[in-house]
Amino acid sequence: METKISEIADGIYRLSTYVPDIAPPAGLTFNQFLVLGDEPLMFHTGLRKMFPLNLDALNRIIDADRLRWIAFGHFEADECGAMNEWLARAPQATPAHGQIGCRVSLDDFADRAPRVLADNEVVDLGGKRIRFIDTPHTPHGWDAGVLYEETTRTLLCGDLFTQLGNEHVMTDGDVVGPAIAAEDLFKYSSLSPGMGSTIRSLSRLAPRTLALMHGPAFTGDGAAALQALADDYDRRLSDPARLALV
Ligand SMILES: [Fe+2]
Ligand SMILES: [Fe+2]
């Protein structure tokens, strides 16, 4: 396995590792995002077992000592499994997450005390501005949230829009159809009644770039893509056949 680096928006880097053994033959990518600024932030730590790969990739962009913030979408191995490895390697870094995630998991799990982010709280990274948005149970996890980088209008949307394969680093094509196909296959979302409206509310940000954790980075009408994804979840929740979990 190798970790490839691409700049997907001004000063935002995608560190991508393709794992062909997951859902073969298409495989799945695992992407971390480094947001540069006076206080660099990484979104997702990556799996603990991928830490050497991701550390090597990050060190090709900045020295890991410079990392100031480590954030993620929800408590899960690919999201934050390597958190303590990063905290040991980056002495200035502080984990940051929403209130539920800090109180339920990070207060115990993280080797350094986390910074608790309120819903819609903005952190000025110096050159970049990160907004944390609570999205409980969307797509899964009580503590779930996303990050929006305001200066580049980039939504770091975690597992939303998950798709198989490794065809593109960037795309301006359809990201909704492949996301629906991956949901049909993995059944990874909580499918709570509020899921559609939570995703639809993110469309008000009108992001220019959607940074997918598992898939390419989408550039284009992010609001339309979010609305279409929300519509599909609403339809799924009202269709017993599509709700079947087996
Ligand atoms: Fe997840
Ligand atoms: Fe994920």
Side-chain angles (χ1 to χ4, degrees), residues 76 78-79 159 213-214:
E76 201 168 50
D78 61 344
E79 298 265 350
D159 286 342
M213 184 186 204
H214 308 285

mmCIF file of all heavy atoms in Angstrom, residues 76 78-79 159 213-214, ligand 2:
data_model
loop_
_atom_site.group_PDB
_atom_site.id
_atom_site.type_symbol
_atom_site.label_atom_id
_atom_site.label_comp_id
_atom_site.label_asym_id
_atom_site.label_seq_id
_atom_site.Cartn_x
_atom_site.Cartn_y
_atom_site.Cartn_z
ATOM 1 N N GLU A 76 -14.325 6.068 15.569
ATOM 2 C CA GLU A 76 -14.265 4.841 14.767
ATOM 3 C C GLU A 76 -12.802 4.675 14.350
ATOM 4 O O GLU A 76 -12.081 5.661 14.229
ATOM 5 C CB GLU A 76 -15.150 5.013 13.523
ATOM 6 C CG GLU A 76 -15.600 3.741 12.868
ATOM 7 C CD GLU A 76 -16.712 4.015 11.838
ATOM 8 O OE1 GLU A 76 -16.522 4.902 11.003
ATOM 9 O OE2 GLU A 76 -17.756 3.342 11.903
ATOM 10 N N ASP A 78 -11.045 4.074 11.574
ATOM 11 C CA ASP A 78 -10.433 4.814 10.460
ATOM 12 C C ASP A 78 -10.486 6.324 10.693
ATOM 13 O O ASP A 78 -9.721 7.079 10.112
ATOM 14 C CB ASP A 78 -11.046 4.435 9.101
ATOM 15 C CG ASP A 78 -12.529 4.726 8.987
ATOM 16 O OD1 ASP A 78 -13.193 4.946 10.019
ATOM 17 O OD2 ASP A 78 -13.037 4.713 7.847
ATOM 18 N N GLU A 79 -11.393 6.769 11.552
ATOM 19 C CA GLU A 79 -11.522 8.197 11.846
ATOM 20 C C GLU A 79 -10.485 8.669 12.863
ATOM 21 O O GLU A 79 -9.954 9.778 12.746
ATOM 22 C CB GLU A 79 -12.914 8.492 12.415
ATOM 23 C CG GLU A 79 -14.050 8.175 11.461
ATOM 24 C CD GLU A 79 -14.497 9.393 10.669
ATOM 25 O OE1 GLU A 79 -14.049 10.501 10.993
ATOM 26 O OE2 GLU A 79 -15.277 9.215 9.731
ATOM 27 N N ASP A 159 -17.729 10.271 6.063
ATOM 28 C CA ASP A 159 -18.310 9.107 5.390
ATOM 29 C C ASP A 159 -19.466 9.453 4.458
ATOM 30 O O ASP A 159 -19.919 8.585 3.703
ATOM 31 C CB ASP A 159 -18.817 8.098 6.425
ATOM 32 C CG ASP A 159 -17.691 7.349 7.118
ATOM 33 O OD1 ASP A 159 -16.571 7.340 6.595
ATOM 34 O OD2 ASP A 159 -17.960 6.767 8.195
ATOM 35 N N MET A 213 -14.146 11.065 2.564
ATOM 36 C CA MET A 213 -13.178 10.187 3.216
ATOM 37 C C MET A 213 -12.921 8.944 2.379
ATOM 38 O O MET A 213 -11.806 8.422 2.345
ATOM 39 C CB MET A 213 -13.706 9.773 4.588
ATOM 40 C CG MET A 213 -12.716 8.930 5.376
ATOM 41 S SD MET A 213 -13.450 8.327 6.887
ATOM 42 C CE MET A 213 -11.994 8.040 7.876
ATOM 43 N N HIS A 214 -13.974 8.447 1.734
ATOM 44 C CA HIS A 214 -13.847 7.245 0.903
ATOM 45 C C HIS A 214 -14.350 7.585 -0.491
ATOM 46 O O HIS A 214 -15.531 7.400 -0.792
ATOM 47 C CB HIS A 214 -14.661 6.086 1.481
ATOM 48 C CG HIS A 214 -14.385 5.811 2.939
ATOM 49 N ND1 HIS A 214 -13.242 5.190 3.380
ATOM 50 C CD2 HIS A 214 -15.112 6.088 4.053
ATOM 51 C CE1 HIS A 214 -13.277 5.078 4.701
ATOM 52 N NE2 HIS A 214 -14.408 5.622 5.141
HETATM 53 FE FE FE B 2 -14.863 6.212 7.172
#
